[in-house]
Amino acid sequence: MSLPKHLQETFSPEEIQFIVENEPIKIFPRITTRQRVNMVNKNASQHWKLITTDDWALNNMVATQSTTVVLWIALLLKQQSKCSIVAPEWLTVRALDRHIQYEKKNTDRFSELPWNWLVLARILFNRAPEDFHDPVHELRSRIQDLREIRQTKVLKGLKYLNESHLQLDNLSLLEINELRPFIVDIMDKLREIHSAAVVAGNEDGNNEEDDFDFS
Amino acid sequence: MYGDLANKLILEAKRTQQLNHNSNQLPMYHEDLVRKVLREVTQLKNTTDFLKEQQQLPSDSAIQNDKVLKCQYFVTLLCMERNKRCLLAYQKLRSDVLKSLAWGSNDGPLMSATVDTNGLSHMEQEYLKEYSGLITELKGGEWTDIDLSGSLTPPSDVFIDVRVLKDAGEIQTEYGVFNLIKDSQFFVRQSDVERLIQQGYLQKI
């Protein structure tokens, strides 16, 4: 088939990264692309234009003045050391410690990390390690801690798989993605068994549809 | 019993599936087994013909006979259904593998058909050829500017380092000429060499 089997019902990690790379992020440019006023009219036609994303920010960069661009552009600029990436505010030792505290205190829920925290942390640690205010190894270990705490919670939550629904508040995209094949398969089987029993019991064929709540 | 032969075929299909999980390869077509199953179906067909004749014969206990005949008919039919299902499952699995082969490797810019066609039945060879034709037609139609059979991993780096694995002389790609000497390295745009990586000449670093 045109789509290989392992891609047919879930995303690959590379695709998750691709999705995350479409998010805006703050950078400090090291180049200036803003034209001076008297030059604008003359050179306007030579300016670049992007069709995939908003090019205004790119055309108005002033060195060391923070601006917001899409992550994939930021990474490209970073590769050529034409900018430094500003770490998001949740990616600091203090904020991560707060999240860890929250995770430990509330054993029945996940803390409010952004949906792309794992992927974004990995990308930034690899590509922009010198742009953090806090030492990277500490951030790394905290991210690892958070991941482990949340994983144990996920394992606990899997006991409550049922045939109707599941609530996964604040679970990030990567965490959902690695669970998806497992959870969806099991819930499908449970629902099949359940609805077969219902149909056999009273010929009442209103089996429920997939209403998993991956919020 | 009827259906046992078809079961063997299904076990074979299962093995193919597991083999295919690791690598895209297709074992030999089990022609003799399929032929045996088909012979069984022919036998079953003869049985039904015979039963039909029986029904038309005038007999003394017509109602009694009718019930037995119905049952025999039905079971014969079920056996045929079973055989049909197994045959189709086997064939569908193989055709799925063929399709993925056709999408995966059969269509570089050189259209190098490198799939080994020895293990296939000639029907399957025909199918593979025509399916590849369909893919080419699709790619040549409305969406020529997108390489539909290209890599499915999202692009992450624009430029990559590649190392040449096989000596291939001078190869002309659409974007220029490479002199592929074994163990030399290039720093090139990924979209230029994606094809060559797929065909195994280059290794991405």
Side-chain angles (χ1 to χ4, degrees), chain A residues 9-13 16 172-181:
Chain A
E9 50 192 22
T10 185
F11 294 114
S12 66
I16 300 284
S172 79
L173 185 57
L174 195 71
E175 288 165 305
I176 286 174
N177 195 57
E178 64 193 14
L179 290 169
R180 182 178 291 124

Side-chain angles (χ1 to χ4, degrees), chain A residues 40-58:
Chain A
V40 167
N41 290 330
K42 216 161 47 176
N43 289 349
S45 56
Q46 290 171 9
H47 252 203
W48 55 61
K49 231 172 158 43
L50 288 173
I51 52 168
T52 50
T53 178
D54 185 20
D55 56 343
W56 184 86
L58 272 183

Side-chain angles (χ1 to χ4, degrees), chain A residues 1-5 7 12 14-18 21 76 79 127, chain B residues 17 21 92 96 99-101 103 131 152-158:
Chain A
M1 211 168 291
S2 60
L3 203 57
K5 185 92 178 133
L7 287 178
S12 66
E14 293 87 28
E15 286 170 320
I16 300 284
Q17 184 174 340
F18 190 73
E21 278 177 4
L76 277 181
Q79 213 171 25
R127 309 280 289 268
Chain B
Q17 199 177 29
H21 217 66
K92 172 83 168 81
D96 278 352
K99 277 190 206 168
S100 69
L101 282 178
W103 275 102
Y131 190 81
L152 287 172
T153 37
S156 58
D157 289 311
V158 184

Side-chain angles (χ1 to χ4, degrees), chain B residues 70-202:
Chain B
K70 257 185 194 159
C71 183
Q72 278 172 328
Y73 250 139
F74 190 57
V75 172
T76 322
L77 185 73
L78 284 183
C79 288
M80 287 204 275
E81 289 276 4
R82 177 80 192 165
N83 279 343
K84 174 179 160 191
R85 195 171 162 202
C86 294
L87 282 172
L88 284 179
Y90 178 69
Q91 201 57 65
K92 172 83 168 81
L93 187 84
R94 286 182 70 91
S95 78
D96 278 352
V97 178
L98 286 180
K99 277 190 206 168
S100 69
L101 282 178
W103 275 102
S105 59
N106 208 357
D107 40 63
L110 317 161
M111 286 301 289
S112 52
T114 47
V115 189
D116 64 321
T117 49
N118 305 323
L120 309 180
S121 71
H122 73 275
M123 295 286 219
E124 284 173 333
Q125 288 176 18
E126 189 80 0
Y127 175 79
L128 182 61
K129 214 189 303 164
E130 283 186 18
Y131 190 81
S132 305
L134 281 180
I135 293 177
T136 329
E137 203 173 296
L138 179 68
K139 288 197 292 189
E142 212 170 323
W143 300 287
T144 34
D145 38 354
I146 304 172
D147 182 12
L148 288 175
S149 60
S151 162
L152 287 172
T153 37
S156 58
D157 289 311
V158 184
F159 286 95
I160 55 167
D161 276 309
V162 289
R163 180 178 296 148
V164 181
L165 290 181
K166 279 190 267 180
D167 222 348
E170 211 166 76
I171 280 194
Q172 176 85 38
T173 66
E174 286 144 55
Y175 299 95
V177 180
F178 287 113
N179 201 4
L180 294 185
I181 302 163
K182 200 178 175 200
D183 295 332
S184 56
Q185 286 195 17
F186 293 101
F187 183 66
V188 283
R189 236 179 42 196
Q190 187 170 7
S191 50
D192 295 356
V193 294
E194 221 157 44
R195 278 285 164 222
L196 293 169
I197 293 175
Q198 249 180 21
Q199 288 163 8
Y201 286 110
L202 302 180

Side-chain angles (χ1 to χ4, degrees), chain A residues 86-100 113-114 117 120-121 124-125 131-143 146:
Chain A
V86 181
E89 62 259 32
W90 57 267
L91 205 53
T92 55
V93 169
R94 265 186 62 203
L96 288 178
D97 276 338
R98 221 172 37 241
H99 280 298
I100 292 176
L113 282 163
W117 69 278
L120 194 59
L124 292 186
F125 288 160
D131 291 349
F132 291 100
H133 290 301
D134 308 304
V136 173
H137 62 271
E138 281 186 27
L139 289 172
R140 250 185 228 277
S141 72
R142 276 170 179 74
I143 291 285
L146 266 177

Side-chain angles (χ1 to χ4, degrees), chain A residues 99-117:
Chain A
H99 280 298
I100 292 176
Q101 284 308 319
Y102 184 90
E103 296 276 4
K104 283 183 178 159
K105 227 180 278 169
N106 302 280
T107 48
D108 54 345
R109 66 186 70 186
F110 299 102
S111 70
E112 276 184 47
L113 282 163
W115 61 273
N116 53 9
W117 69 278

